[in-house]
Amino acid sequence: MVLVRGEGGAGKSTLIRAALRELGVTGAIPSPTFTVGRAYEGVPAGGGRPVPVSHLDLYRLGPLEDEDPGLLAEYFGPDRIALVEWPGGAERFLADRATRLLEVEVRHRDERSRVIEPAVELAAPGG
């Protein structure tokens, strides 16, 4: 699972769309802002087994600890890559569903360019 942080307009969705394309997702990739999440099957460039991947945007959700645990179940799994924008107060909920947890930050350098801080592995789930 990759938590993608950054202020509004920094380019989180653009970065995730590029990652989805690299993972073999074809077709339209709309933002999940109003649907919370979208699930895809990527097809590796050289063929092989499809890659299940999810894109979630939790901006409009409150703390997930109070929500039905099954609310987002379809977007997580041991073989699924989940890219999560605006993880906010849902970190514990997300960490409990991750086999690996990474964090990337996107921020404005200036009007026309961005800085992408490399992925940092966070504490192991449950720890």
Side-chain angles (χ1 to χ4, degrees), residues 4-12 86-87 104-107:
V4 183
R5 301 184 185 281
E7 59 195 17
K12 295 177 298 299
W86 298 103
V104 172
E105 184 174 350
V106 183
R107 65 179 191 274

Side-chain angles (χ1 to χ4, degrees), residues 1 32 35-39 54-58 61-65 67-77 80 82 84 87 90 93-94 97:
M1 183 179 302
T35 60
V36 180
R38 295 191 180 270
S54 299
H55 178 191
L56 292 98
D57 183 331
L58 304 183
L61 292 183
L64 294 178
E65 287 74 17
E67 297 290 343
D68 173 6
L71 175 69
L72 302 174
E74 71 181 285
Y75 302 112
F76 305 113
R80 180 173 288 278
V84 184
F93 177 91
L94 296 170
R97 285 149 183 81

Side-chain angles (χ1 to χ4, degrees), residues 75-125:
Y75 302 112
F76 305 113
D79 295 330
R80 180 173 288 278
I81 298 169
L83 305 165
V84 184
E85 294 183 61
W86 298 103
E91 287 183 27
R92 183 79 264 147
F93 177 91
L94 296 170
D96 289 345
R97 285 149 183 81
T99 53
R100 288 187 70 194
L101 189 61
L102 304 171
E103 178 180 70
V104 172
E105 184 174 350
V106 183
R107 65 179 191 274
H108 292 93
R109 173 177 291 159
D110 55 44
E111 253 182 59
R112 296 176 46 196
S113 62
R114 307 292 185 264
V115 173
I116 300 172
E117 292 293 331
V120 174
E121 187 154 6
L122 302 175

